[in-house]
Amino acid sequence: MNERFNPKDAVMDFPRRDARDKLQGRTKYTVDVGGSEVIHAVLLRSEVACGRISKLDTDVASKMPGVRAIATHSDAPGLHGIGIADHPVFAGDVIRYHGEPIAAIAADTIAQARAAARAISVTIDVEQPVLTMEQALSDNAKLVHPDWQNYEILFEGAARGGNVAWEATVERGDTKEAFSRDDVTIVEGCYRVGRQSHVPFEPRAVVATFEDGRYHVHTSTQVPWTVRHVTAKVLGVPDSHVRVTVPAVGGGFGLKFDCSLEPYAAILAKKTGRSVSLINTRKEEQMTCLCRENADIRIRSAVTSDGEIVGREATVLMDCGAYGGEQVFLTTMSAHTLGGNYRLGSIKLSSQAVYTNTPPNGAFRACNGVYNTFALERHTDEICDAIDMDPIEFRLRNVVGDKDIGATGQVFEGEVLAPMLKQMVAKHPIQKTARELPDGRLYGRATTVGTWFIFVGPSAATVNLNADGSATLVTSGVEIGSGTMMQSLPQIVAASLGIHPEKVIVKTADTDASGRDLGVGGGRTTVSIGAASAAACDEVRDKLLSVASELLQTKSDELVLTNGRVEIRDRPGSGTTIQTVIQQAEIEFGPVSGSGAFTAPGIPAMPGCAAGHFIDAIDIPVFAVHDCELAVDPDTGQIEILAYRVVQDVGRALNPRAIHSQIQGGVVQGLGYAMQEEITINEDGAFNQQGFETYRLPMAGDVLPIEFDLFEGAPSCGPLGTKGAGEVPILNVGASIACAVANATGKTVSELPLTPTRVVSIVDDLERPLDFDHINVKWQKNTIAFR
C-alpha cells in the first residue's frame, strides 16, 4: 500500500448502510422479482435414489393450460463439475439420487407448472442404491458411476477409481520409522460427523431471460462468474453469451458457491422468449441442499513421552453424494486442517470424496475444517490422556509457529497460535472444578485450537470518481449478508482516497461491467476484492495528486488526501477540495478512474509432498482458539453452554463491530452443528428431515453472548494486513463442545452431533468408541495408489 495515508484511517465501526432496509423488508432479493412479464418454473425431481429411466413422456403435460415449455436432458446433455465433469443438468438414462431433476416446466403460474409436472409420465426401473460410504467402498460394490473413466478431467493429478471420485494425498517424512520407534506411544481414534444444512433465509432462486442472442441470469449466488461459465458450458455457448447479475443475497454460507438452478431457467427462457423465475421450495432446499458432507475419519499418531508428534497417519472419507462437486476440491483442505495446528515429524494423509446414491453435498462455512478440527482436537486430548500430559501444555509445546513446516512442507510465518493460546489462558485461567455440580449436572471445560485459511484468488476492481467527490466501486463482489461489501470495502476505498465511507458507492455484481472474480466466500472478500480495490485506488490517487500538484504548485509526494480535500502535508487548510481537482482532471484528460487486480501470491510447498491438491500451500493461514464451559444433564442428555470464549486471528481488524457479529453468528451456527442439527437418510435415499419441523436449528433461546478478543498483527498479504473474519468463527465449535463433554462425562466422544439421545448413550456407556471396518488401520490400504 502507498504510504500517503495512515492505514489506521480505515479502522472504524462503520455501520451497515443496508441494515434499516433489511430490517424493514425493503431490500429486494431475487425471490422478490416478479410482475406480469415473469412466468414460473418448477423441476420434476426423481422420487427414487437409483434407477434407469425407461420412459419419459411430456406430451400430455406440454398441452396443459398455461404451459409454455418443458425441458429435459436432450436440451442440455453436457456435463460439468469441479476437477472432473461428472454432473449432468438433467438425469438422462440414469437416476443417481432422490431429488435429481428429470424435467423443468415453465408455465404462466406456479400452480400450472406444478400440475404439468405431475402430468409428466416417467417410468423408472428402480435399482438398489448405494447409500453409505461403507457400502460404496466394500468389495465388489456397485458403482454409482460405472463410466467414471470416461469423464473429462478438468484438473490433473489426482487418483480416482471405483466409487472414489477424487483422492488427495500428503506424504512427508518416514511415518513407518516413526511408528516403529520404541520411545513412542501410539494413539488411534475414529471419528464421525453427519450432514448440516445451510438454511439461508432466501432459498436458491433465479430469473432468466434470453434477448439479443444472449442469456441474462439474475440470480441469488455467491459466484457470478462460476454461474456464467457453467451455464455457458452446459448450454454449449461461449461464456460471453451469458450475463449474470446479482442483487442482495439472502444468505449463502457456501450453499450458493456453485451453479445450481441457473441453467434450467436459462433453457426455459430461450424456449419461451419470456422471463422465467425458478425458486426452490423450502422442502426442495432442504432435501437437495448441498449440505456440509458427512465424513468418517481415522487418525493414528506416534508421540513421545515429552509430547513430540513424530508421526501421523490419517484417512478422511468425505461423502460427496451422487456427484463430485465441491467435495472434490475440499479433499485438498484436509492437509491444511487435519494436518494443521501442530508440528509433525512425518505425515501420511489421504482424503477421498466418495460417491453414494445420496443428494450431492457442497461447501459450507469453513467446510471440512469444522469436522477435521473436531477429530483432530478430540484426538489431541486422547493423546494427552495416553501420555498423561496437560492438554494446554501439550498444545503450547506443539502448535505451529514461525519457521515451522506444515503438512505439505510450507513454512509458516510468525508466532500466532501460541500467543493466542497464552492470551486465552491468561485471561481465563483453568481452575480445578468438581466434575459434578451441586444440581447433579456434570461440568466440563475445554480449550481447542484451529487452523483454517483465507481462500484468495483472482479479483478485479474499478474505482470511478464522481464530480461530487464520491467514488463508485465496481467489482463482482456480492453482498451475502456478511456486510463486507457495505463495510470493509468502502472503508478501504475511503481511507485510500481521503473521503468518508458513506461517499463510496458499491455497485452490485454484473459480469458485463466488472472483471472476473472467484466469488464471495472462504473469507476472501476483504482480502482479494479489497486488495484489488486498493490497487485501483492507487491509480486514482496518483491521477488526483498529479493534477493537484499543478494546481497547488507543490510536489505530489508532499500532498495528502484527507477529509475530502487535497492538502499540503502538515498544513491543514492549505489545499483544495477533491471536487476541484476532479473538475480540473476532466478538463485535462477526462473522468478519473482506476483499475486494480489481485490474485494468490503463491506460497511454496515441498515438492513431491502433495498429490491431487488444488492448493498445495495456503497463502493466508488464519487461526482460532476457543474455550467452552458447559454442563451436561446425565439423565436427559441436555447440554447447557455456561460460557463460550474466542480469540480470533484477524490480521488487522478494520471493523471490530462487524467482526464481533461474525463471531457471534458463527459460534451459534456451530452450536447447531455440534448439538442439534442432524440429517439421517432413509432406505429410499431421502432425508428424513424434510423441514423445520424435524430439522432442529438453534432458536433465539439457544443464543448466548460470546466473549471474544481479536488477535492482531499476524502476517497477511491482505490489504492493510487484513484477514477474512467470516468463516473461522465456526471452526472450533464442534471440537470445543465435544472435548468439554468428554471432560464432563469422563467418556469417549467421537461423533457429532451431540444430541440428547447420543449424550445419554455416552453417559450410560451405550455409545462405544468407533472403529471403522471400511478404513484400514494400515494407511496404505486406504489409498488408491497402494491398492
Side-chain angles (χ1 to χ4, degrees):
M1 291 294 296
N2 195 300
E3 294 182 356
R4 290 171 180 155
F5 75 95
N6 187 343
K8 292 182 179 179
D9 292 343
V11 178
M12 64 179 75
D13 284 330
F14 181 58
R16 295 180 56 151
R17 69 183 66 181
D18 61 342
R20 184 176 296 275
D21 281 348
K22 285 186 173 178
L23 286 171
Q24 296 183 350
R26 292 197 293 260
T27 299
K28 299 301 181 186
Y29 300 95
T30 303
V31 293
D32 297 314
V33 177
S36 59
E37 75 281 3
V38 177
I39 62 176
H40 301 273
V42 300
L43 296 178
L44 173 66
R45 297 179 179 272
S46 169
E47 295 184 359
V48 302
C50 183
R52 304 192 75 84
I53 299 174
S54 57
K55 176 187 175 185
L56 177 60
D57 188 345
T58 63
D59 286 349
V60 173
S62 65
K63 298 171 184 175
M64 293 182 67
V67 173
R68 299 283 182 162
I70 297 176
T72 61
H73 179 72
S74 61
D75 293 290
L79 300 174
H80 64 96
I82 298 175
I84 44 174
D86 63 351
H87 197 159
V89 177
F90 295 99
D93 297 330
V94 179
I95 296 293
R96 291 191 175 91
Y97 71 94
H98 191 290
E100 183 160 21
I102 298 172
I105 305 94
D108 291 341
T109 69
I110 194 75
Q112 290 171 332
R114 288 173 179 164
R118 291 191 295 270
I120 293 176
S121 177
V122 184
T123 302
I124 300 174
D125 299 326
V126 179
E127 298 178 1
Q128 185 66 34
V130 177
L131 298 180
T132 68
M133 291 189 288
E134 295 98 316
Q135 294 172 359
L137 297 176
S138 64
D139 293 338
N140 303 314
K142 177 183 176 181
L143 296 183
V144 177
H145 292 262
D147 51 351
W148 64 269
Q149 291 175 302
N150 299 327
Y151 290 144
E152 178 187 4
I153 304 298
L154 306 176
F155 184 87
E156 297 287 347
R160 301 166 53 235
N163 282 324
V164 176
W166 197 270
E167 178 181 79
T169 58
V170 173
E171 295 185 69
R172 178 176 61 77
D174 189 346
T175 58
K176 183 177 180 181
E177 189 277 332
F179 281 96
S180 65
R181 286 171 50 166
D182 57 11
D183 64 338
V184 300
T185 299
I186 297 176
V187 181
E188 299 184 31
C190 291
Y191 313 91
R192 170 170 282 170
V193 295
R195 301 188 185 198
Q196 184 184 22
S197 178
H198 308 72
V199 198
F201 283 142
E202 181 191 29
R204 283 167 288 176
V206 58
V207 178
T209 58
F210 183 79
E211 50 192 40
D212 299 329
R214 298 180 73 215
Y215 298 91
H216 178 193
V217 178
H218 190 72
T219 184
S220 181
T221 185
Q222 297 172 237
V223 285
W225 285 81
T226 297
V227 168
R228 178 181 189 253
H229 173 70
V230 173
T231 300
K233 179 179 175 64
V234 298
L235 297 185
V237 300
D239 286 13
S240 59
H241 286 205
V242 180
R243 175 193 179 196
V244 178
T245 56
V246 187
V249 174
F253 307 116
L255 169 64
K256 300 170 184 175
F257 206 78
D258 208 342
C259 187
S260 59
L261 299 183
E262 292 85 2
Y264 307 108
I267 293 167
L268 292 171
K270 184 176 182 181
K271 277 178 165 283
T272 63
R274 300 284 297 275
S275 296
V276 176
S277 171
L278 176 58
I279 303 171
N280 268 351
T281 65
R282 184 54 66 182
K283 180 179 178 180
E284 284 179 303
E285 196 74 345
Q286 176 69 10
M287 299 291 279
T288 64
C289 67
L290 302 177
C291 294
R292 188 193 311 277
E293 68 277 8
N294 51 298
D296 294 339
I297 303 165
R298 182 186 287 275
I299 310 175
R300 184 169 177 257
S301 297
V303 188
T304 65
S305 59
D306 61 358
E308 181 186 1
I309 309 169
V310 297
R312 172 161 292 160
E313 295 179 346
T315 298
V316 181
L317 302 182
M318 307 163 56
D319 190 339
C320 61
Y323 300 104
E326 290 287 344
Q327 277 57 51
V328 165
F329 173 83
L330 292 173
T331 56
T332 290
M333 296 318 302
S334 292
H336 309 301
T337 52
L338 196 65
N341 288 1
Y342 305 108
R343 291 185 300 275
L344 304 173
S346 59
I347 181 171
K348 288 183 178 175
L349 187 151
S350 65
S351 187
Q352 297 178 347
V354 180
Y355 287 130
T356 59
N357 288 123
T358 63
N361 290 310
F364 192 144
R365 195 179 200 165
C367 301
N368 62 358
V370 174
Y371 61 74
N372 280 331
T373 300
F374 152 70
L376 178 56
E377 291 302 274
R378 283 298 305 124
H379 185 69
T380 299
D381 277 3
E382 289 162 0
I383 289 173
C384 294
D385 288 340
I387 65 173
D388 194 24
M389 182 176 288
D390 177 78
I392 298 295
E393 180 184 354
F394 180 88
R395 287 174 169 83
L396 285 172
R397 289 189 183 192
N398 285 286
V399 290
V400 291
D402 192 41
K403 303 294 190 299
D404 284 335
I405 298 176
T408 61
Q410 85 169 88
V411 179
F412 286 97
E413 293 182 45
E415 295 291 343
V416 186
L417 256 181
M420 291 171 65
L421 185 55
K422 289 176 181 177
Q423 181 176 329
M424 176 70 80
V425 174
K427 190 171 182 178
H428 306 284
I430 306 293
Q431 299 176 344
K432 293 293 183 181
T433 304
R435 179 175 287 172
E436 186 170 333
L437 299 173
D439 60 7
R441 293 186 300 169
L442 306 177
Y443 169 84
R445 180 177 177 181
T447 305
T448 66
V449 300
T451 304
W452 190 236
F453 77 119
I454 304 304
F455 185 30
V456 293
S459 289
T462 299
V463 173
N464 301 314
L465 276 188
N466 305 311
D468 63 356
S470 64
T472 300
L473 175 63
V474 182
T475 75
S476 288
V478 175
E479 174 48 51
I480 60 173
S482 64
T484 305
M485 303 297 296
M486 298 292 174
Q487 291 173 302
S488 64
L489 293 186
Q491 287 174 236
I492 291 170
V493 171
S496 300
L497 301 180
I499 60 179
H500 194 275
E502 289 180 349
K503 301 201 74 174
V504 179
I505 303 157
V506 181
K507 190 181 183 307
T508 55
D510 181 344
T511 57
D512 275 5
S514 51
R516 195 173 82 83
D517 189 86
L518 205 58
V520 171
R524 68 179 305 276
T525 311
T526 299
V527 171
S528 294
I529 300 181
S533 301
C537 287
D538 286 346
E539 184 178 339
V540 169
R541 190 169 57 245
D542 288 344
K543 290 179 179 179
L544 277 177
L545 295 180
S546 176
V547 173
S549 175
E550 294 294 327
L551 285 175
L552 300 175
Q553 293 298 292
T554 304
K555 292 180 179 180
S556 61
D557 59 5
E558 292 297 320
L559 300 177
V560 293
L561 298 173
T562 181
N563 298 320
R565 294 175 59 82
V566 183
E567 302 281 20
I568 300 173
R569 190 184 303 276
D570 300 325
R571 292 175 57 187
S574 60
T576 186
T577 65
I578 286 179
Q579 291 96 315
T580 300
V581 180
I582 293 171
Q583 185 178 21
Q584 181 62 29
E586 292 193 354
I587 293 172
E588 293 186 17
F589 57 78
V592 180
S593 64
S595 296
F598 175 82
T599 193
I603 299 296
M606 190 179 293
C609 278
H613 284 226
F614 291 78
I615 302 172
D616 286 351
I618 48 180
D619 291 281
I620 307 179
V622 59
F623 303 100
V625 176
H626 287 207
D627 183 87
C628 175
E629 294 184 71
L630 52 74
V632 177
D633 187 321
D635 297 320
T636 66
Q638 294 289 337
I639 299 171
E640 179 187 359
I641 308 299
L642 304 176
Y644 203 97
R645 311 175 183 100
V646 173
V647 178
Q648 182 161 317
D649 166 28
V650 296
R652 183 191 293 273
L654 289 186
N655 194 315
R657 182 166 64 181
I659 295 174
H660 180 202
S661 70
Q662 289 297 311
I663 292 173
Q664 180 71 49
V667 170
V668 171
Q669 198 170 45
L671 295 178
Y673 181 68
M675 300 189 296
Q676 299 167 334
E677 299 181 48
E678 185 170 37
I679 291 176
T680 55
I681 298 174
N682 61 35
E683 61 184 11
D684 296 324
F687 294 171
N688 290 312
Q689 296 75 19
Q690 299 184 10
F692 297 152
E693 299 86 356
T694 49
Y695 187 69
R696 177 77 166 88
L697 289 163
M699 307 294 283
D702 299 312
V703 176
L704 73 155
I706 308 303
E707 301 177 52
F708 73 99
D709 288 291
L710 306 181
F711 186 88
E712 298 191 78
S716 173
C717 64
L720 310 178
T722 58
K723 294 186 178 185
E727 282 209 301
V728 74
I730 197 175
L731 185 68
N732 297 40
V733 182
S736 300
I737 290 173
C739 290
V741 168
N743 291 337
T745 60
K747 310 288 186 178
T748 298
V749 175
S750 53
E751 188 168 358
L752 293 178
L754 288 166
T755 60
T757 300
R758 179 163 287 131
V759 172
V760 169
S761 295
I762 290 170
V763 172
D764 293 341
D765 289 321
L766 301 177
E767 190 94 355
R768 294 184 177 182
L770 296 172
D771 188 9
F772 298 133
D773 291 334
H774 58 293
I775 306 181
N776 201 289
V777 174
K778 294 183 179 180
W779 180 82
Q780 288 87 345
K781 292 191 175 182
N782 299 314
T783 57
I784 295 175
F786 290 95
R787 288 179 188 168

